[in-house]
């Protein structure tokens, strides 16, 4: 031990013998950005529960109409306006098959059971509710594909090339977005019959605009970074840089925005069907089922409750999953 008056010289120190290769060794476990995002997503209980609920709804939508022997459009006036009845759950007033204390099934001599009841024409609401859910899920799939195929490509090209190309493409977006969606659908109905095709075309016309703007912003932020310059120096073309480098680096933002656009598209279809501009009888839709049940809501509330619960769960769960994905991909929230 040197005293305070001693001079500090090189002889007082000796090398610890550390290996230079060991000093560069990463002692912790390497975690990729995607794995870290997945870890933080699964810790979000609300998002995980919402994913489970969405999975159950998808399974019921696919299998529900085939569980019993009734067709979606089979009519029987003897069965009109029957309340829900499930023998195993008859202790619950909602599934007892009674209205105002009267067993409607026994009173009419109906031996069959309808889990969600029937409508005014005696059609099974269980089958029609899940058939309408199929329409909503199809609209969700179309909205997601439109975002990925049109919005991502359009925004990527606009943001990457910039200049005149960007100005022209953005002016086109401003013209399209200046026309409300309801006007689009009314114009389409003047040309074709109301239905799924008209709604699909309306979604194709406008639903990709928000995605295109988000991707354009990401392209403007990333296109001047070093990895893009290195790729261009090695001979990569514009298409390869956009679709192999820039868009994968924006994939988190793209997924999050898609999850938020899906419930908007589902609500758009249900709203149009509710006001009579979308899916119409005999085809079932959650919006049209709610519209039909709304006219007799005070007399037979079950005809509105079940389609309303399903569409509410769809909208809420998609939004919660979108929030969970946004938090998972946000680097500011990493621990």
């Amino acid at each position: 031990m040197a005293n305070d008056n001693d001079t500090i010289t090189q002889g007082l120190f000796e090398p610890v013998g550390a290996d230079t290769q060991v000093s560069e060794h990463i002692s912790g476990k390497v975690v990729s950005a995607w794995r870290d995002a997945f870890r933080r997503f699964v810790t979000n209980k609300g998002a995980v529960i919402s994913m489970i609920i969405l999975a159950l709804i998808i399974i019921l939508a696919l299998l529900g109409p085939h569980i019993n022997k009734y067709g979606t459009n089979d009519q029987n006036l003897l069965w009109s306006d029957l309340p829900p009845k499930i023998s195993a759950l008859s202790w619950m007033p909602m599934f007892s098959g009674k209205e105002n204390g009267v067993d409607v099934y026994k009173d009419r001599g109906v031996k069959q059971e309808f889990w969600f009841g029937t409508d005014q024409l005696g059609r099974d609401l269980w089958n029609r509710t899940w058939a309408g859910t199929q329409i909503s899920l199809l609209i969700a799939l179309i909205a997601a594909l439109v975002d990925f195929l049109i919005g991502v490509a359009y925004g990527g090209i606009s943001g990457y090339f910039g200049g005149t190309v960007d100005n022209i493409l953005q002016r086109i977006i401003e013209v399209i977005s200046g026309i409300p969606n309801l006007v689009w659908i009314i114009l389409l109905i003047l040309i074709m019959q109301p239905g799924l095709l008209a709604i699909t075309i309306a979604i194709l016309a406008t639903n990709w605009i928000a995605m295109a703007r988000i991707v354009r912003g990401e392209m403007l932020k990333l296109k001047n970074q070093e990895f893009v310059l290195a790729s261009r120096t090695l001979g990569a073309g514009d298409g390869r840089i956009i679709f192999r480098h820039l868009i994968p680096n924006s994939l988190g933002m793209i997924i999050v925005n898609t999850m938020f656009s899906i419930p908007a598209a589902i609500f758009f279809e249900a709203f149009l069907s509710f006001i009579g501009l979308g899916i119409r009888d005999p085809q079932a839709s959650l919006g049209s089922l709610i519209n039909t049940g709304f006219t007799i809501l005070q007399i037979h509330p079950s005809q509105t409750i079940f389609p309303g619960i399903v569409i509410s769960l769809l909208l809420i769960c998609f939004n919660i999953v979108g929030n969970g994905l946004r938090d998972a991909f946000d680097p500011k929230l990493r621990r």
Side-chain angles (χ1 to χ4, degrees):
M1 179 70 67
N3 296 325
D4 294 339
N5 295 330
D6 292 339
T7 303
I8 298 177
T9 62
Q10 187 175 359
L12 298 177
F13 300 91
E14 61 181 13
V16 296
D19 189 351
T20 56
Q21 295 182 354
V22 175
S23 64
E24 298 294 332
H25 177 69
I26 300 174
S27 58
K29 183 180 179 181
V30 178
V31 179
S32 65
W34 286 98
R35 185 181 295 274
D36 182 62
F38 176 77
R39 177 186 60 80
R40 285 187 289 145
F41 179 80
V42 297
T43 57
N44 188 328
K45 295 181 180 179
V48 173
I49 293 173
S50 297
M51 286 285 289
I52 295 173
I53 294 174
L54 287 175
L56 291 175
I57 291 177
I58 292 172
I59 292 172
L60 287 172
L62 295 175
L63 302 180
H66 307 289
I67 290 178
N68 56 37
K69 60 183 179 181
Y70 312 116
T72 305
N73 297 319
D74 293 347
Q75 302 180 18
N76 188 335
L77 294 180
L78 179 64
W79 298 343
S80 63
D81 295 326
L82 289 174
K85 183 177 181 180
I86 303 176
S87 297
L89 300 177
S90 59
W91 53 273
M92 298 177 62
M94 180 177 293
F95 298 106
S96 63
K98 296 181 180 180
E99 281 187 347
N100 299 321
V102 178
D103 190 335
V104 181
Y105 287 79
K106 184 178 180 181
D107 186 57
R108 297 188 188 180
V110 178
K111 298 181 180 180
Q112 295 84 355
E113 292 185 1
F114 298 94
W115 296 345
F116 283 2
T118 60
D119 63 5
Q120 295 177 349
L121 298 177
R123 294 175 294 190
D124 181 25
L125 283 177
W126 168 271
N127 286 351
R128 292 183 63 78
T129 298
W130 297 121
T133 306
Q134 291 179 1
I135 298 294
S136 295
L137 294 174
L138 179 60
I139 292 296
L141 178 61
I142 292 173
L145 291 177
V146 167
D147 274 354
F148 274 104
L149 298 180
I150 300 179
V152 172
Y154 193 100
I157 294 171
S158 178
Y160 178 79
F161 290 103
T164 304
V165 175
D166 185 39
N167 286 330
I168 294 174
L169 294 180
Q170 291 307 303
R171 298 298 82 74
I172 295 174
I173 283 183
E174 290 175 0
V175 172
I176 296 175
S177 60
I179 305 175
N181 288 338
L182 190 58
V183 175
W184 278 107
I185 195 68
I186 292 174
L187 292 174
L188 290 171
I189 289 174
L190 294 176
I191 301 173
M192 60 184 67
Q193 293 294 326
L196 183 60
L197 181 60
I199 296 174
T200 301
I201 295 176
I203 291 174
L204 288 172
T206 61
N207 200 68
W208 52 271
I209 292 177
M211 176 66 77
R213 286 173 170 166
I214 289 175
V215 174
R216 172 181 176 267
E218 290 293 307
M219 295 300 106
L220 293 173
K221 183 177 67 175
L222 296 174
K223 70 178 183 179
N224 293 322
Q225 294 192 8
E226 289 79 2
F227 71 92
V228 177
L229 177 60
S231 180
R232 188 181 292 112
T233 303
L234 293 174
D238 293 330
R240 182 178 180 84
I241 292 175
I242 292 174
F243 293 104
R244 294 295 298 273
H245 297 286
L246 294 179
I247 289 179
N249 278 278
S250 307
L251 199 56
M253 185 68 69
I254 292 171
I255 293 174
V256 171
N257 188 74
T258 300
M259 293 304 300
F260 283 118
S261 67
I262 287 175
I266 293 175
F267 180 78
F268 178 61
E269 180 276 324
F271 168 73
L272 291 177
S273 299
F274 181 80
I275 63 177
L277 297 178
I279 308 298
R280 294 184 176 180
D281 274 338
Q283 193 174 10
S285 166
L286 292 178
S288 62
L289 291 175
I290 294 173
N291 182 33
T292 303
F294 181 75
T295 59
I296 53 175
L297 178 62
Q298 294 182 340
I299 304 174
H300 305 289
S302 60
Q303 296 187 23
T304 305
I305 289 175
F306 293 108
I309 290 175
V310 173
I311 194 170
S312 297
L313 286 175
L314 282 174
L315 297 179
I316 293 171
C317 290
F318 271 118
N319 276 296
I320 293 176
V321 171
N323 285 327
L325 290 173
R326 181 192 60 195
D327 295 341
F329 283 106
D330 189 351
K332 297 178 183 178
L333 298 178
R334 290 181 182 175
R335 295 191 298 269

